Amino acid sequence: MNEEAIKMLGKPGDAMEQEIMDYISAQSDEELEKRIIEKKLTVKACLESCFKKGKAFEVKRGKEGIAKVSEEQHWKWVREYFGITEDIKPAGKPLPVSVTPPKTSGAKSVIDFDDLL
């Protein structure tokens, strides 16, 4: 990933932002880097967007607070924020184990955003 795109993404402030940064770095291509720079996309804003979507999801269900969402859903929201289609392959770098989508064995992993605050 080029230096300008890395600078625009910002320095990760916590482990969740670092996972997003690692994931985006693995997905990097010229088109993504251009989009990051032109739209001024950051890992912090991405995480905030995911939190907002989690809250909106919970309100739709008639509840207060932040929803428990699967890792799969979280990474879908990350890809949406950065305009990444699922067809983009890692740019020669394996995804970190911590951000690899879970294998669907029936039960889904859940992120409880309340535990993260």
Side-chain angles (χ1 to χ4, degrees):
M1 182 171 286
N2 74 42
E3 285 186 40
E4 189 177 1
I6 292 170
K7 185 176 179 180
M8 181 57 64
L9 286 170
K11 184 177 179 183
D14 60 30
M16 291 176 61
E17 289 179 9
Q18 184 62 53
E19 284 185 344
I20 292 170
M21 180 69 122
D22 292 345
Y23 180 79
I24 296 306
S25 294
Q27 298 295 317
S28 180
D29 64 6
E30 285 184 36
E31 185 179 312
L32 175 59
E33 291 171 7
K34 183 178 176 183
R35 196 167 40 251
I36 288 168
I37 295 164
E38 288 178 355
K39 294 186 176 188
K40 299 181 180 178
L41 303 175
T42 68
V43 292
K44 182 176 182 165
C46 176
L47 188 57
E48 289 172 2
S49 173
C50 291
F51 279 120
K52 286 179 185 177
K53 288 178 182 265
K55 285 182 181 182
F57 180 75
E58 199 66 355
V59 169
K60 280 184 182 178
R61 295 178 43 199
K63 297 183 178 183
E64 289 290 322
I66 300 173
K68 292 183 178 183
V69 297
S70 67
E71 284 188 47
E72 181 179 336
Q73 180 63 57
H74 167 71
W75 293 112
K76 180 180 177 186
W77 290 339
V78 169
R79 286 188 299 274
E80 285 175 6
Y81 176 82
F82 285 101
I84 298 171
T85 64
E86 292 193 46
D87 295 331
I88 293 178
K89 305 291 186 240
K93 302 175 197 170
L95 289 175
V97 174
S98 60
V99 296
T100 303
K103 293 183 174 102
T104 53
S105 62
K108 291 188 176 184
S109 299
V110 177
I111 297 172
D112 184 350
F113 286 105
D114 288 330
D115 291 342
L116 301 173
L117 298 174

